[in-house]
Amino acid sequence: MPIISRPDEFNAEDLYVDLRAEFGIPLYLKCEGFNFAGSIKLKAARAMVAAARRSGRLRPDSILVESSSGNLGVALSVIAASQGFRFVCVTDTRCNLATRQLMEALGTHVHTITEPLPEGGFLGARLAHVRQLCEGDSRYVWLNQHANEDNWAAHYRVTAPAIARAFPALDVLFTGAGTTGTLMGCARYFKQFRPATRIVAVDSVGSVTFGGPERPRMIPGLGAGIRPPLLDESYVDDVVHVDETDTADTCHRLAGGGFLFGGSTGTVVSGAARWLAEHAAGRETTAVAIAPDLGERYLDTLYQNTWVEQLHHNAQRATT
């Protein structure tokens, strides 16, 4: 029976959903949403804050500041509240209402960017605001999840070894690409200790991470308007791009089986299903995909019919 005194001390590391019955594909979904922050980002947040405290950057009078589309913001809100720090999360209009309210309930000041930059989009605008805050007040400490190596190191130390223990003969690992912290940490681990395992990155159509053309995206989590500094493509064997309409359709299909997951999970499962159909049809394959969070925070977007209809409408307009 786990007994904890701080919210970052617990995470369900060994829960998987077998998607063969629901999707007919040999895919195990690693569920990372069962902790007090509700997502995989708790690991990176904990590691980055601990490193900042060890180095002396983070002091009692410091104000944490971070750019986040949602999940890391919640994770840092949880840690800041439990450790007595002030925290400012810089997000944008794509951040779900429930996520913003959750951060505010934990005492975080949420600043929402309403206009993207012509180059760099919402992410570029968020980062510009963070830099402005830091330049104006030395108390601000920016962990910078987009370039902080403790981001990927958390998954090298924890997430990847847990997967390797559960699946000693893993053929393929599917990981979404946002900051690429999870992707790089897992990829580095498997390339070092299990080089036969193929690493497949799953990204959103409209993201520039792997060199594709930028276009507006509505679902927070995966994808980026600026190439992530943490990314090293030499560790990645293949890349799959998923349209947001496929993300929404996959989330609803999972919900039809009683599994309510977030947008990043829908993207990763959709990409994994397509990759497996193309590369592993008719072969015995052991594959794992990482589900970063659950779906309750997406009830006003991904699971709201009018919002999904608008998503499909925008996709149709973009192709005509």
Side-chain angles (χ1 to χ4, degrees):
M1 178 178 67
I3 298 176
I4 64 173
S5 56
R6 296 194 330 191
D8 60 309
E9 294 175 343
F10 171 78
N11 181 67
E13 199 64 63
D14 56 356
L15 178 62
Y16 294 81
V17 175
D18 186 346
L19 291 181
R20 283 177 294 186
E22 191 69 28
F23 280 74
I25 54 176
L27 184 65
Y28 297 97
L29 192 58
K30 187 178 193 302
C31 301
E32 290 281 356
F34 292 95
N35 57 52
F36 283 93
S39 83
I40 196 171
K41 290 290 189 176
L42 183 62
K43 298 175 187 177
R46 184 180 185 184
M48 291 189 296
V49 168
R53 295 192 70 165
R54 287 195 303 271
S55 70
R57 288 182 62 215
L58 191 57
R59 302 181 301 273
D61 65 337
S62 296
I63 305 170
L64 280 173
V65 61
E66 187 56 82
S67 158
S68 172
S69 61
N71 280 339
L72 184 77
V74 173
L76 285 173
S77 296
V78 167
I79 292 175
S82 70
Q83 297 187 18
F85 290 107
R86 294 167 62 189
F87 173 45
V88 175
C89 180
V90 181
T91 188
D92 60 63
T93 54
R94 297 169 300 176
C95 181
N96 299 313
L97 174 62
T99 299
R100 295 198 300 271
Q101 291 175 328
L102 180 53
M103 288 190 283
E104 289 170 346
L106 290 164
T108 295
H109 174 73
V110 180
H111 180 87
T112 303
I113 298 294
T114 58
E115 294 293 333
L117 292 180
E119 292 187 11
F122 276 113
L123 175 57
R126 285 174 9 212
L127 296 180
H129 185 75
V130 170
R131 292 188 183 100
Q132 184 180 24
L133 289 176
C134 292
E135 290 168 0
D137 190 334
S138 61
R139 292 176 300 167
Y140 281 103
V141 175
W142 180 22
L143 298 175
N144 193 1
Q145 64 164 328
H146 306 282
N148 191 322
E149 297 208 347
D150 289 299
N151 183 348
W152 69 255
H155 302 290
Y156 178 90
R157 292 194 301 266
V158 180
T159 309
I163 296 170
R165 287 193 301 270
F167 297 92
L170 183 64
D171 295 307
V172 192
L173 176 64
F174 298 96
T175 305
T179 65
T180 69
T182 305
L183 172 64
M184 286 292 95
C186 291
R188 280 184 164 89
Y189 179 90
F190 278 96
K191 290 303 178 187
Q192 181 176 356
F193 298 107
R194 303 282 180 84
T197 300
R198 291 183 65 82
I199 304 298
V200 179
V202 184
D203 197 12
S204 298
V205 171
S207 167
V208 305
T209 297
F210 294 96
E214 183 178 8
R215 84 177 196 195
R217 290 170 290 108
M218 297 298 296
I219 301 173
L222 300 187
I226 298 173
R227 181 180 168 87
L230 294 178
L231 177 63
D232 184 341
E233 290 188 61
S234 68
Y235 289 95
V236 179
D237 296 304
D238 208 350
V239 179
V240 180
H241 284 89
V242 175
D243 194 281
E244 289 191 319
T245 56
D246 294 327
T247 293
D249 292 344
T250 301
C251 284
H252 281 258
R253 186 174 173 185
L254 286 162
F259 293 107
L260 197 71
F261 284 106
S264 298
T265 299
T267 302
V268 173
V269 171
S270 178
R274 197 168 81 220
W275 191 95
L276 289 168
E278 294 175 3
H279 298 278
R283 297 207 313 266
E284 282 290 328
T285 303
T286 301
V288 167
I290 296 177
D293 60 3
L294 301 177
E296 291 91 340
R297 297 173 193 170
Y298 300 79
L299 293 178
D300 62 333
T301 54
L302 271 173
Y303 295 102
Q304 209 280 327
N305 289 336
T306 303
W307 191 93
V308 174
E309 288 170 3
Q310 186 63 48
L311 182 70
H312 281 269
H313 176 71
N314 291 345
Q316 290 175 349
R317 288 182 59 188
T319 58
T320 57

PDB file of all heavy atoms in Angstrom, residues 265-296:
ATOM      1  N   THR A 265      -2.711  11.009 -26.867  1.00  0.00           N
ATOM      2  CA  THR A 265      -2.884   9.564 -26.965  1.00  0.00           C
ATOM      3  C   THR A 265      -3.585   9.186 -28.262  1.00  0.00           C
ATOM      4  O   THR A 265      -3.184   8.234 -28.945  1.00  0.00           O
ATOM      5  CB  THR A 265      -3.674   9.028 -25.758  1.00  0.00           C
ATOM      6  OG1 THR A 265      -2.943   9.324 -24.567  1.00  0.00           O
ATOM      7  CG2 THR A 265      -3.894   7.529 -25.862  1.00  0.00           C
ATOM      8  N   GLY A 266      -4.615   9.948 -28.621  1.00  0.00           N
ATOM      9  CA  GLY A 266      -5.297   9.681 -29.884  1.00  0.00           C
ATOM     10  C   GLY A 266      -4.353   9.795 -31.060  1.00  0.00           C
ATOM     11  O   GLY A 266      -4.407   8.992 -32.007  1.00  0.00           O
ATOM     12  N   THR A 267      -3.464  10.781 -31.028  1.00  0.00           N
ATOM     13  CA  THR A 267      -2.487  10.957 -32.092  1.00  0.00           C
ATOM     14  C   THR A 267      -1.531   9.773 -32.156  1.00  0.00           C
ATOM     15  O   THR A 267      -1.273   9.209 -33.235  1.00  0.00           O
ATOM     16  CB  THR A 267      -1.691  12.257 -31.877  1.00  0.00           C
ATOM     17  OG1 THR A 267      -2.589  13.364 -31.839  1.00  0.00           O
ATOM     18  CG2 THR A 267      -0.686  12.471 -32.993  1.00  0.00           C
ATOM     19  N   VAL A 268      -0.998   9.365 -31.014  1.00  0.00           N
ATOM     20  CA  VAL A 268      -0.016   8.280 -30.986  1.00  0.00           C
ATOM     21  C   VAL A 268      -0.642   6.956 -31.417  1.00  0.00           C
ATOM     22  O   VAL A 268      -0.054   6.197 -32.190  1.00  0.00           O
ATOM     23  CB  VAL A 268       0.621   8.165 -29.585  1.00  0.00           C
ATOM     24  CG1 VAL A 268       1.511   6.933 -29.504  1.00  0.00           C
ATOM     25  CG2 VAL A 268       1.424   9.411 -29.264  1.00  0.00           C
ATOM     26  N   VAL A 269      -1.853   6.676 -30.942  1.00  0.00           N
ATOM     27  CA  VAL A 269      -2.507   5.411 -31.319  1.00  0.00           C
ATOM     28  C   VAL A 269      -2.842   5.406 -32.804  1.00  0.00           C
ATOM     29  O   VAL A 269      -2.641   4.392 -33.498  1.00  0.00           O
ATOM     30  CB  VAL A 269      -3.776   5.179 -30.470  1.00  0.00           C
ATOM     31  CG1 VAL A 269      -4.572   3.992 -31.000  1.00  0.00           C
ATOM     32  CG2 VAL A 269      -3.402   4.947 -29.013  1.00  0.00           C
ATOM     33  N   SER A 270      -3.310   6.522 -33.332  1.00  0.00           N
ATOM     34  CA  SER A 270      -3.609   6.602 -34.759  1.00  0.00           C
ATOM     35  C   SER A 270      -2.353   6.372 -35.589  1.00  0.00           C
ATOM     36  O   SER A 270      -2.361   5.601 -36.562  1.00  0.00           O
ATOM     37  CB  SER A 270      -4.215   7.966 -35.089  1.00  0.00           C
ATOM     38  OG  SER A 270      -4.464   8.094 -36.472  1.00  0.00           O
ATOM     39  N   GLY A 271      -1.262   7.019 -35.220  1.00  0.00           N
ATOM     40  CA  GLY A 271      -0.012   6.847 -35.946  1.00  0.00           C
ATOM     41  C   GLY A 271       0.532   5.437 -35.831  1.00  0.00           C
ATOM     42  O   GLY A 271       1.030   4.868 -36.815  1.00  0.00           O
ATOM     43  N   ALA A 272       0.440   4.856 -34.638  1.00  0.00           N
ATOM     44  CA  ALA A 272       0.916   3.487 -34.443  1.00  0.00           C
ATOM     45  C   ALA A 272       0.113   2.497 -35.270  1.00  0.00           C
ATOM     46  O   ALA A 272       0.678   1.573 -35.883  1.00  0.00           O
ATOM     47  CB  ALA A 272       0.844   3.125 -32.960  1.00  0.00           C
ATOM     48  N   ALA A 273      -1.210   2.670 -35.295  1.00  0.00           N
ATOM     49  CA  ALA A 273      -2.060   1.765 -36.070  1.00  0.00           C
ATOM     50  C   ALA A 273      -1.692   1.811 -37.547  1.00  0.00           C
ATOM     51  O   ALA A 273      -1.619   0.764 -38.222  1.00  0.00           O
ATOM     52  CB  ALA A 273      -3.527   2.133 -35.864  1.00  0.00           C
ATOM     53  N   ARG A 274      -1.445   3.006 -38.061  1.00  0.00           N
ATOM     54  CA  ARG A 274      -1.095   3.131 -39.476  1.00  0.00           C
ATOM     55  C   ARG A 274       0.273   2.521 -39.754  1.00  0.00           C
ATOM     56  O   ARG A 274       0.468   1.813 -40.751  1.00  0.00           O
ATOM     57  CB  ARG A 274      -1.111   4.609 -39.883  1.00  0.00           C
ATOM     58  CG  ARG A 274      -1.168   4.808 -41.387  1.00  0.00           C
ATOM     59  CD  ARG A 274      -1.485   6.243 -41.726  1.00  0.00           C
ATOM     60  NE  ARG A 274      -0.307   7.091 -41.645  1.00  0.00           N
ATOM     61  CZ  ARG A 274      -0.297   8.317 -41.157  1.00  0.00           C
ATOM     62  NH1 ARG A 274      -1.413   8.849 -40.666  1.00  0.00           N
ATOM     63  NH2 ARG A 274       0.808   9.033 -41.138  1.00  0.00           N
ATOM     64  N   TRP A 275       1.234   2.775 -38.872  1.00  0.00           N
ATOM     65  CA  TRP A 275       2.581   2.237 -39.070  1.00  0.00           C
ATOM     66  C   TRP A 275       2.567   0.708 -39.013  1.00  0.00           C
ATOM     67  O   TRP A 275       3.196   0.044 -39.853  1.00  0.00           O
ATOM     68  CB  TRP A 275       3.520   2.785 -38.013  1.00  0.00           C
ATOM     69  CG  TRP A 275       4.977   2.499 -38.291  1.00  0.00           C
ATOM     70  CD1 TRP A 275       5.871   3.311 -38.919  1.00  0.00           C
ATOM     71  CD2 TRP A 275       5.708   1.302 -37.943  1.00  0.00           C
ATOM     72  NE1 TRP A 275       7.099   2.709 -38.991  1.00  0.00           N
ATOM     73  CE2 TRP A 275       7.029   1.474 -38.404  1.00  0.00           C
ATOM     74  CE3 TRP A 275       5.363   0.117 -37.306  1.00  0.00           C
ATOM     75  CZ2 TRP A 275       8.018   0.495 -38.236  1.00  0.00           C
ATOM     76  CZ3 TRP A 275       6.336  -0.863 -37.142  1.00  0.00           C
ATOM     77  CH2 TRP A 275       7.643  -0.673 -37.593  1.00  0.00           C
ATOM     78  N   LEU A 276       1.856   0.148 -38.056  1.00  0.00           N
ATOM     79  CA  LEU A 276       1.796  -1.311 -37.929  1.00  0.00           C
ATOM     80  C   LEU A 276       1.121  -1.948 -39.146  1.00  0.00           C
ATOM     81  O   LEU A 276       1.543  -3.009 -39.613  1.00  0.00           O
ATOM     82  CB  LEU A 276       1.062  -1.691 -36.645  1.00  0.00           C
ATOM     83  CG  LEU A 276       1.820  -1.404 -35.341  1.00  0.00           C
ATOM     84  CD1 LEU A 276       0.892  -1.553 -34.144  1.00  0.00           C
ATOM     85  CD2 LEU A 276       3.032  -2.327 -35.197  1.00  0.00           C
ATOM     86  N   ALA A 277       0.087  -1.295 -39.669  1.00  0.00           N
ATOM     87  CA  ALA A 277      -0.583  -1.833 -40.858  1.00  0.00           C
ATOM     88  C   ALA A 277       0.353  -1.839 -42.055  1.00  0.00           C
ATOM     89  O   ALA A 277       0.292  -2.749 -42.903  1.00  0.00           O
ATOM     90  CB  ALA A 277      -1.829  -1.005 -41.168  1.00  0.00           C
ATOM     91  N   GLU A 278       1.238  -0.874 -42.144  1.00  0.00           N
ATOM     92  CA  GLU A 278       2.144  -0.760 -43.283  1.00  0.00           C
ATOM     93  C   GLU A 278       3.402  -1.613 -43.138  1.00  0.00           C
ATOM     94  O   GLU A 278       3.933  -2.117 -44.134  1.00  0.00           O
ATOM     95  CB  GLU A 278       2.550   0.706 -43.481  1.00  0.00           C
ATOM     96  CG  GLU A 278       1.408   1.620 -43.895  1.00  0.00           C
ATOM     97  CD  GLU A 278       1.831   3.082 -43.950  1.00  0.00           C
ATOM     98  OE1 GLU A 278       3.029   3.364 -43.725  1.00  0.00           O
ATOM     99  OE2 GLU A 278       0.969   3.938 -44.215  1.00  0.00           O
ATOM    100  N   HIS A 279       3.884  -1.784 -41.910  1.00  0.00           N
ATOM    101  CA  HIS A 279       5.205  -2.387 -41.717  1.00  0.00           C
ATOM    102  C   HIS A 279       5.192  -3.729 -40.984  1.00  0.00           C
ATOM    103  O   HIS A 279       6.219  -4.429 -40.994  1.00  0.00           O
ATOM    104  CB  HIS A 279       6.100  -1.424 -40.938  1.00  0.00           C
ATOM    105  CG  HIS A 279       6.344  -0.129 -41.635  1.00  0.00           C
ATOM    106  ND1 HIS A 279       7.306   0.036 -42.613  1.00  0.00           N
ATOM    107  CD2 HIS A 279       5.734   1.082 -41.508  1.00  0.00           C
ATOM    108  CE1 HIS A 279       7.286   1.286 -43.048  1.00  0.00           C
ATOM    109  NE2 HIS A 279       6.348   1.943 -42.389  1.00  0.00           N
ATOM    110  N   ALA A 280       4.087  -4.072 -40.334  1.00  0.00           N
ATOM    111  CA  ALA A 280       4.099  -5.292 -39.511  1.00  0.00           C
ATOM    112  C   ALA A 280       2.896  -6.190 -39.757  1.00  0.00           C
ATOM    113  O   ALA A 280       2.629  -7.080 -38.951  1.00  0.00           O
ATOM    114  CB  ALA A 280       4.168  -4.907 -38.035  1.00  0.00           C
ATOM    115  N   ALA A 281       2.170  -5.960 -40.837  1.00  0.00           N
ATOM    116  CA  ALA A 281       0.986  -6.776 -41.119  1.00  0.00           C
ATOM    117  C   ALA A 281       1.382  -8.236 -41.318  1.00  0.00           C
ATOM    118  O   ALA A 281       2.306  -8.550 -42.070  1.00  0.00           O
ATOM    119  CB  ALA A 281       0.269  -6.253 -42.367  1.00  0.00           C
ATOM    120  N   GLY A 282       0.683  -9.123 -40.607  1.00  0.00           N
ATOM    121  CA  GLY A 282       0.928 -10.553 -40.750  1.00  0.00           C
ATOM    122  C   GLY A 282       2.153 -11.061 -40.019  1.00  0.00           C
ATOM    123  O   GLY A 282       2.483 -12.247 -40.133  1.00  0.00           O
ATOM    124  N   ARG A 283       2.838 -10.220 -39.268  1.00  0.00           N
ATOM    125  CA  ARG A 283       4.028 -10.641 -38.528  1.00  0.00           C
ATOM    126  C   ARG A 283       3.775 -10.549 -37.033  1.00  0.00           C
ATOM    127  O   ARG A 283       3.053  -9.672 -36.575  1.00  0.00           O
ATOM    128  CB  ARG A 283       5.226  -9.753 -38.871  1.00  0.00           C
ATOM    129  CG  ARG A 283       5.664  -9.827 -40.324  1.00  0.00           C
ATOM    130  CD  ARG A 283       7.148  -9.507 -40.447  1.00  0.00           C
ATOM    131  NE  ARG A 283       7.546  -8.329 -39.709  1.00  0.00           N
ATOM    132  CZ  ARG A 283       7.608  -7.103 -40.240  1.00  0.00           C
ATOM    133  NH1 ARG A 283       7.245  -6.902 -41.486  1.00  0.00           N
ATOM    134  NH2 ARG A 283       8.009  -6.094 -39.497  1.00  0.00           N
ATOM    135  N   GLU A 284       4.378 -11.450 -36.288  1.00  0.00           N
ATOM    136  CA  GLU A 284       4.324 -11.370 -34.828  1.00  0.00           C
ATOM    137  C   GLU A 284       5.135 -10.152 -34.386  1.00  0.00           C
ATOM    138  O   GLU A 284       6.346 -10.083 -34.623  1.00  0.00           O
ATOM    139  CB  GLU A 284       4.886 -12.634 -34.200  1.00  0.00           C
ATOM    140  CG  GLU A 284       3.935 -13.815 -34.231  1.00  0.00           C
ATOM    141  CD  GLU A 284       2.748 -13.628 -33.287  1.00  0.00           C
ATOM    142  OE1 GLU A 284       2.926 -12.982 -32.234  1.00  0.00           O
ATOM    143  OE2 GLU A 284       1.655 -14.116 -33.620  1.00  0.00           O
ATOM    144  N   THR A 285       4.471  -9.211 -33.759  1.00  0.00           N
ATOM    145  CA  THR A 285       5.130  -7.968 -33.366  1.00  0.00           C
ATOM    146  C   THR A 285       4.707  -7.578 -31.962  1.00  0.00           C
ATOM    147  O   THR A 285       3.525  -7.643 -31.621  1.00  0.00           O
ATOM    148  CB  THR A 285       4.766  -6.821 -34.332  1.00  0.00           C
ATOM    149  OG1 THR A 285       5.113  -7.196 -35.666  1.00  0.00           O
ATOM    150  CG2 THR A 285       5.495  -5.545 -33.961  1.00  0.00           C
ATOM    151  N   THR A 286       5.688  -7.185 -31.162  1.00  0.00           N
ATOM    152  CA  THR A 286       5.390  -6.629 -29.838  1.00  0.00           C
ATOM    153  C   THR A 286       5.641  -5.130 -29.890  1.00  0.00           C
ATOM    154  O   THR A 286       6.762  -4.686 -30.145  1.00  0.00           O
ATOM    155  CB  THR A 286       6.276  -7.271 -28.754  1.00  0.00           C
ATOM    156  OG1 THR A 286       6.060  -8.686 -28.745  1.00  0.00           O
ATOM    157  CG2 THR A 286       5.943  -6.700 -27.383  1.00  0.00           C
ATOM    158  N   ALA A 287       4.584  -4.367 -29.683  1.00  0.00           N
ATOM    159  CA  ALA A 287       4.682  -2.910 -29.810  1.00  0.00           C
ATOM    160  C   ALA A 287       4.051  -2.229 -28.609  1.00  0.00           C
ATOM    161  O   ALA A 287       3.033  -2.677 -28.084  1.00  0.00           O
ATOM    162  CB  ALA A 287       3.999  -2.453 -31.097  1.00  0.00           C
ATOM    163  N   VAL A 288       4.652  -1.117 -28.208  1.00  0.00           N
ATOM    164  CA  VAL A 288       4.151  -0.304 -27.098  1.00  0.00           C
ATOM    165  C   VAL A 288       4.017   1.140 -27.580  1.00  0.00           C
ATOM    166  O   VAL A 288       4.881   1.647 -28.304  1.00  0.00           O
ATOM    167  CB  VAL A 288       5.098  -0.366 -25.880  1.00  0.00           C
ATOM    168  CG1 VAL A 288       4.755   0.725 -24.852  1.00  0.00           C
ATOM    169  CG2 VAL A 288       5.025  -1.737 -25.217  1.00  0.00           C
ATOM    170  N   ALA A 289       2.938   1.785 -27.199  1.00  0.00           N
ATOM    171  CA  ALA A 289       2.757   3.216 -27.424  1.00  0.00           C
ATOM    172  C   ALA A 289       2.542   3.889 -26.073  1.00  0.00           C
ATOM    173  O   ALA A 289       1.925   3.313 -25.174  1.00  0.00           O
ATOM    174  CB  ALA A 289       1.565   3.480 -28.343  1.00  0.00           C
ATOM    175  N   ILE A 290       3.051   5.106 -25.930  1.00  0.00           N
ATOM    176  CA  ILE A 290       2.930   5.826 -24.671  1.00  0.00           C
ATOM    177  C   ILE A 290       1.729   6.753 -24.722  1.00  0.00           C
ATOM    178  O   ILE A 290       1.610   7.599 -25.618  1.00  0.00           O
ATOM    179  CB  ILE A 290       4.210   6.621 -24.367  1.00  0.00           C
ATOM    180  CG1 ILE A 290       5.390   5.646 -24.178  1.00  0.00           C
ATOM    181  CG2 ILE A 290       4.032   7.482 -23.119  1.00  0.00           C
ATOM    182  CD1 ILE A 290       6.724   6.339 -23.951  1.00  0.00           C
ATOM    183  N   ALA A 291       0.811   6.594 -23.753  1.00  0.00           N
ATOM    184  CA  ALA A 291      -0.364   7.453 -23.607  1.00  0.00           C
ATOM    185  C   ALA A 291      -0.050   8.496 -22.537  1.00  0.00           C
ATOM    186  O   ALA A 291      -0.044   8.173 -21.341  1.00  0.00           O
ATOM    187  CB  ALA A 291      -1.586   6.638 -23.209  1.00  0.00           C
ATOM    188  N   PRO A 292       0.197   9.756 -22.924  1.00  0.00           N
ATOM    189  CA  PRO A 292       0.680  10.738 -21.939  1.00  0.00           C
ATOM    190  C   PRO A 292      -0.326  11.156 -20.877  1.00  0.00           C
ATOM    191  O   PRO A 292       0.070  11.533 -19.770  1.00  0.00           O
ATOM    192  CB  PRO A 292       1.057  11.944 -22.806  1.00  0.00           C
ATOM    193  CG  PRO A 292       1.209  11.394 -24.189  1.00  0.00           C
ATOM    194  CD  PRO A 292       0.222  10.275 -24.283  1.00  0.00           C
ATOM    195  N   ASP A 293      -1.629  11.139 -21.219  1.00  0.00           N
ATOM    196  CA  ASP A 293      -2.604  11.632 -20.238  1.00  0.00           C
ATOM    197  C   ASP A 293      -3.968  11.009 -20.470  1.00  0.00           C
ATOM    198  O   ASP A 293      -4.144  10.166 -21.347  1.00  0.00           O
ATOM    199  CB  ASP A 293      -2.700  13.172 -20.291  1.00  0.00           C
ATOM    200  CG  ASP A 293      -3.148  13.710 -21.658  1.00  0.00           C
ATOM    201  OD1 ASP A 293      -3.436  12.898 -22.564  1.00  0.00           O
ATOM    202  OD2 ASP A 293      -3.202  14.941 -21.814  1.00  0.00           O
ATOM    203  N   LEU A 294      -4.940  11.421 -19.659  1.00  0.00           N
ATOM    204  CA  LEU A 294      -6.317  10.943 -19.779  1.00  0.00           C
ATOM    205  C   LEU A 294      -7.176  12.037 -20.409  1.00  0.00           C
ATOM    206  O   LEU A 294      -6.695  13.116 -20.751  1.00  0.00           O
ATOM    207  CB  LEU A 294      -6.848  10.534 -18.404  1.00  0.00           C
ATOM    208  CG  LEU A 294      -6.055   9.425 -17.703  1.00  0.00           C
ATOM    209  CD1 LEU A 294      -6.620   9.157 -16.317  1.00  0.00           C
ATOM    210  CD2 LEU A 294      -6.046   8.145 -18.532  1.00  0.00           C
ATOM    211  N   GLY A 295      -8.481  11.775 -20.555  1.00  0.00           N
ATOM    212  CA  GLY A 295      -9.307  12.630 -21.388  1.00  0.00           C
ATOM    213  C   GLY A 295     -10.219  13.619 -20.705  1.00  0.00           C
ATOM    214  O   GLY A 295     -10.887  14.401 -21.380  1.00  0.00           O
ATOM    215  N   GLU A 296     -10.282  13.630 -19.372  1.00  0.00           N
ATOM    216  CA  GLU A 296     -11.251  14.505 -18.712  1.00  0.00           C
ATOM    217  C   GLU A 296     -11.044  15.984 -19.028  1.00  0.00           C
ATOM    218  O   GLU A 296     -11.994  16.760 -19.078  1.00  0.00           O
ATOM    219  CB  GLU A 296     -11.200  14.307 -17.190  1.00  0.00           C
ATOM    220  CG  GLU A 296     -11.722  12.969 -16.706  1.00  0.00           C
ATOM    221  CD  GLU A 296     -10.621  11.926 -16.614  1.00  0.00           C
ATOM    222  OE1 GLU A 296      -9.550  12.106 -17.273  1.00  0.00           O
ATOM    223  OE2 GLU A 296     -10.807  10.942 -15.879  1.00  0.00           O
TER     224      GLU A 296
END
